[in-house]
Amino acid sequence: MRVALRPLPCLTKFWMLLVTTACASGGGAPPAPVSAQAPARPRPYPVFETRAFAAAVDAGTRTRTGRPGPRYWQQYARYQLSATLDPATARLDGSGIITYLNRSPDTLAAVYLQLYNNLFAPTGMRNELVPVVGAVDVRSVAVEGRAFTTVAEDGRGPGYEVESTMLRLALERPLLPNDSVRMAIEWALTVPPDGAPRGGTDGEVYFVSYWYPQVAVYDDVDRRWHTDPYMGNAEFYMGYGDYDVSLTVPAGFLIGATGTLRNPEQVLTPQVRARLDSAARGRGIVRVVRDDERGVGRATPRGDADGRLTWRFTATNVRDFAFGASDAYLWDATMAVAGDADGDGRADSAQIHAFYRPERRQWAWGHSARYGQHSIEFLSRYLWPYAYPQMTVVDGVTSCAGMEYPMITCIGGPRDTLGLYSVTVHEIAHMWFPMRVGSDEKRYSWQDEGLTRFNQAQAMQEFFAPYDRERLSRENYLNLARQGSASEAGLVGEVELMRHGDLYPVGTPAFGIASYDKMATNLVALRAILGDSVFLRAYREYGRRWLEKHPQPYDLWNTFEDVAARDLDWFWRTWFFETWTLDQALTSARRAGGSVELVIEDRGLAPMPVRLAITRAGGAVERMEVPVEVWLGGARRHVIRIPDSPRIERIAIDPEERFPDVDRGNNEIVVR
């Protein structure tokens, strides 16, 4: 149950004693009397809303059920972009017309745009090492046809200014609600070399990301521009828009990109087009461009007088646009059955593309189209149908590692079969979170990465049965959690999930463990608490409610509570806001009067139900659960009596390891 964050007379007592009952209005039992003596253990207090979220509820744009409010609004943009890539210099020259639609009730005096590639400027703010290639060269800016110059030193008057990765356009005429503004910008940048996060070039392939001015997010909760600089570690909070993009490259280059290729007859030879058509009609893998068919006159026409071709792509209602280009690429394609994405009663399909260099076959890239196909089909069944027309997997520079963009992912580095499928399905799973469910990755990186790691695990369990990716995530988390929190163990320690992505200790595993593995482990535990059916219904409902919208953590939590009809504040507080660990132990079991008296201790700080497996003579296993309320009441020790007929031989806590217990050496006892 969410509780609005407002001045509360008993709030200080809550922080001091960490009691469980709320002291604000909102229902529930009245607070228990607080003794002068501190309780035996800290107990999770309610999850308080931020003031901004509470204001959004009052304004009708959010609710406390997890549904968008009846007055929910969201901004939108339309991008018409052109770019020319010169592989000899790694230089990209771009121009664009951006139309920004103000769907908010607010009047905006300025518009903010991200220049992400200023991360690579000599003076760029960053929290990881990157190659320095220079800032984005903003050549011209115009608004509604009027040329803008940089703003005056006093900041007054229309114009633009650049600070870090942000370009601010001070408008001549404020942008009113339900109005739009048209901006024209020309710029140039150098595609950074391998070593740049999430893209770059190794001189043979070019994966070009964050290459155009992108309008920053102005949302219904904060009612302000999100102007956090891109510093390298934390990822992105992006709005939705339509894209019409023209990319000019040398003839012979192949391009994989966000969106749908609109002019194949101008950039591909008849043979390549025929194979693409064939790939769209069946689930077999088609070798669209083979080893000896790359280059000018074979894969592509010869181009214009300068030997160049312009590829045109369009995409509707997506949050970004990226592309990979090379004249070394092979091209495989197939089709995936994605389910009924548009609700017309018929199964829809998506084209699958894989672009890779011949030598990458040793890393299993010859199977990458099949991996993409399985990823789309499995996730469409497990979550909801894939809605985009295509999905492209691109062999990129090593420092790409694995990075997602709408309808395309860049994968770099040596891989084996397991490794290539693993990163492929992970990045493709991002097409659901955050591409379609557009959370704020900078502030809540777990809200896309942790959900995606969990979804990746489900797919890998099917593809590589009986491979258990959930166990790997759990062990990754536990290995760090056993070292204590970062405040206790120095920089090398665990950090809570609810932390801005740029504020984790640099050079430690804290960010990755919290955002990926701990959150995936949280979902496994939550599934065990709610049961598979309720969990999956709530999980899918969260996605359905927030398709192409901007959910906050409260929307996720409220949806689960709404669907499950349970107050789970104790779970959210424990596993998202704290670094408490779970350590349940069986300390004694003795026979007495036809029963076994079992003593259970909760030695950690994280309260969870106790799942008991009781093995009786003959091998029958009986299940029993001690509810979490026992520990929420402050207990450290609990005694239960279990009938001893048939005779009990041994008792174990959570033998399936659904909960992340830091010490499983005390989870089983033999009854003698």
Side-chain angles (χ1 to χ4, degrees):
M1 178 178 65
R2 299 292 76 72
V3 180
L5 183 58
R6 295 185 173 93
L8 302 174
C10 56
L11 187 57
T12 301
K13 189 179 294 182
F14 268 70
W15 281 93
M16 292 174 61
L17 299 179
L18 302 180
V19 299
T20 57
T21 52
C23 56
S25 60
V34 179
S35 66
Q37 183 178 1
R41 62 176 300 153
R43 286 170 276 172
Y45 48 93
V47 174
F48 293 100
E49 295 171 349
T50 63
R51 289 185 175 89
F53 189 88
V57 172
D58 291 343
T61 63
R62 305 273 163 156
T63 70
R64 293 191 176 98
T65 66
R67 296 179 179 85
R71 290 191 287 276
Y72 180 83
W73 54 261
Q74 190 166 291
Q75 309 289 64
Y76 207 75
R78 298 192 179 102
Y79 297 87
Q80 186 174 347
L81 307 174
S82 298
T84 298
L85 175 65
D86 181 0
T89 62
R91 195 71 172 165
L92 180 142
D93 293 281
S95 64
I97 296 173
I98 305 170
T99 303
Y100 182 64
L101 289 72
N102 182 15
R103 295 175 173 175
S104 81
D106 302 331
T107 297
L108 307 178
V111 174
Y112 288 79
L113 299 98
Q114 287 277 6
L115 300 177
Y116 292 114
N117 263 253
N118 275 354
L119 175 70
F120 309 110
T123 58
M125 295 173 58
R126 41 189 171 259
N127 48 23
E128 62 178 76
L129 293 175
V130 302
V132 175
V133 297
V136 177
D137 178 12
V138 179
R139 293 175 170 171
S140 69
V141 176
V143 177
E144 297 294 353
R146 174 179 171 175
F148 270 30
T149 58
T150 54
V151 297
E153 290 186 6
D154 61 7
R156 296 182 179 179
Y160 73 92
E161 60 182 340
V162 176
E163 181 177 353
S164 187
T165 60
M166 190 62 60
L167 185 152
R168 183 178 75 94
L169 278 172
L171 301 177
E172 182 176 23
R173 179 180 61 85
L175 181 58
L176 300 175
N178 300 314
D179 201 355
S180 63
V181 62
R182 180 182 170 96
M183 301 162 282
I185 305 177
E186 295 182 351
W187 72 95
L189 58 85
T190 298
V191 178
D194 196 0
R198 306 178 177 95
T201 179
D202 57 13
E204 188 173 50
V205 301
Y206 298 79
F207 195 88
V208 185
S209 55
Y210 316 116
W211 54 277
Y212 61 95
Q214 185 186 69
V215 182
V217 172
Y218 186 95
D219 67 26
D220 69 296
V221 174
D222 293 301
R223 299 288 282 269
R224 64 172 179 83
W225 291 98
H226 284 253
T227 58
D228 301 23
Y230 174 40
M231 298 175 63
N233 186 60
E235 293 188 326
F236 310 95
Y237 187 22
M238 294 176 166
Y240 289 92
D242 300 336
Y243 288 79
D244 188 332
V245 181
S246 296
L247 303 171
T248 300
V249 296
F253 270 60
L254 298 176
I255 294 181
T258 297
T260 301
L261 177 62
R262 292 302 182 188
N263 61 337
E265 69 286 348
Q266 296 176 16
V267 297
L268 300 173
T269 60
Q271 175 179 258
V272 170
R273 298 201 306 273
R275 289 176 180 164
L276 275 179
D277 290 342
S278 173
R281 293 193 296 269
R283 298 183 70 258
I285 308 301
V286 176
R287 310 297 179 187
V288 177
V289 174
R290 304 169 185 173
D291 297 56
D292 59 351
E293 297 171 341
R294 294 174 292 170
V296 179
R298 295 184 293 276
T300 76
R302 298 192 174 276
D304 61 17
D306 295 320
R308 301 184 303 183
L309 291 168
T310 297
W311 298 56
R312 180 170 172 251
F313 296 87
T314 63
T316 301
N317 203 18
V318 296
R319 48 171 259 161
D320 196 9
F321 186 101
F323 67 95
S326 178
D327 59 358
Y329 278 149
L330 306 175
W331 187 353
D332 294 348
T334 186
M335 179 267 287
V337 178
D340 184 9
D342 57 12
D344 66 355
R346 296 176 296 178
D348 297 306
S349 63
Q351 290 189 310
I352 308 297
H353 304 287
F355 293 86
Y356 60 95
R357 289 165 280 191
E359 58 270 26
R360 298 302 192 248
R361 288 194 183 99
Q362 65 180 319
W363 299 349
W365 271 92
H367 300 286
S368 55
R370 182 168 64 92
Y371 295 166
Q373 180 186 62
H374 178 268
S375 299
I376 291 294
E377 293 186 345
F378 174 84
L379 292 164
S380 293
R381 284 186 275 112
Y382 186 73
L383 296 170
W384 58 86
Y386 184 76
Y388 298 132
Q390 63 93 6
M391 182 67 218
T392 297
V393 182
V394 171
D395 159 26
V397 296
T398 299
S399 59
C400 255
M403 187 60 203
E404 72 279 1
Y405 307 86
M407 295 179 247
I408 185 170
T409 177
C410 179
I411 298 174
R415 309 277 176 179
D416 58 13
T417 299
L418 179 66
L420 185 60
Y421 178 84
S422 175
V423 71
T424 298
V425 72
H426 180 93
E427 305 311 329
I428 289 178
H430 276 302
M431 300 307 112
W432 282 260
F433 305 98
M435 297 307 157
R436 300 212 60 210
V437 182
S439 59
D440 181 349
E441 301 174 83
K442 292 189 81 67
R443 286 164 182 77
Y444 315 111
S445 55
W446 55 267
Q447 204 171 351
D448 78 298
E449 292 295 357
L451 274 59
T452 295
R453 177 73 88 208
F454 174 82
N455 296 334
Q456 168 194 355
Q458 311 318 305
M460 293 186 75
Q461 286 167 355
E462 177 177 278
F463 195 77
F464 290 110
Y467 181 79
D468 189 354
R469 186 60 181 77
E470 291 179 357
R471 176 180 292 274
L472 178 58
S473 285
R474 183 169 60 253
E475 288 306 314
N476 287 344
Y477 156 65
L478 288 172
N479 287 338
L480 187 63
R482 291 182 183 114
Q483 300 177 38
S485 68
S487 60
E488 297 167 339
L491 288 180
V492 182
E494 189 193 350
V495 174
E496 71 281 354
L497 271 68
M498 290 295 286
R499 178 177 291 215
H500 191 292
D502 281 320
L503 299 180
Y504 283 81
V506 176
T508 78
F511 173 82
I513 295 299
S515 301
Y516 292 73
D517 291 316
K518 183 175 181 179
M519 181 57 200
T521 300
N522 289 349
L523 289 175
V524 173
L526 184 61
R527 182 181 61 194
I529 290 168
L530 299 180
D532 291 0
S533 177
V534 173
F535 170 84
L536 195 53
R537 184 156 48 88
Y539 195 34
R540 291 168 173 167
E541 180 65 10
Y542 163 67
R544 186 191 67 79
R545 290 176 178 181
W546 291 96
L547 286 175
E548 279 91 38
K549 297 181 179 68
H550 296 309
Q552 294 229 329
Y554 306 101
D555 301 308
L556 171 66
W557 301 331
N558 288 338
T559 295
F560 267 91
E561 293 191 357
D562 181 48
V563 173
R566 293 179 63 172
D567 184 347
L568 295 166
D569 264 25
W570 61 271
F571 186 87
W572 316 131
R573 174 61 64 184
T574 297
W575 295 107
F576 291 77
F577 291 86
E578 309 292 347
T579 54
W580 296 344
T581 54
L582 175 69
D583 184 9
Q584 297 172 343
L586 300 179
T587 58
S588 71
R590 68 181 187 88
R591 302 186 194 278
S595 297
V596 169
E597 184 177 89
L598 180 69
V599 179
I600 308 167
E601 290 185 1
D602 196 11
R603 297 176 176 177
L605 296 181
M608 291 286 277
V610 183
R611 296 285 178 84
L612 297 174
I614 303 157
T615 302
R616 298 184 181 272
V621 178
E622 178 183 325
R623 302 288 176 167
M624 181 178 293
E625 179 170 309
V626 177
V628 69
E629 285 76 15
V630 168
W631 314 122
L632 295 179
R636 277 293 191 183
R637 183 175 181 272
H638 187 65
V639 180
I640 61 173
R641 289 176 175 81
I642 309 169
D644 195 25
S645 178
R647 187 176 177 84
I648 297 174
E649 295 183 343
R650 64 181 182 275
I651 304 173
I653 294 176
D654 184 27
E656 294 81 15
E657 301 186 18
R658 297 293 181 254
F659 297 159
D661 195 307
V662 296
D663 182 5
R664 290 203 167 269
N666 55 30
N667 283 19
E668 185 169 356
I669 195 166
V670 175
V671 183
R672 302 189 186 281

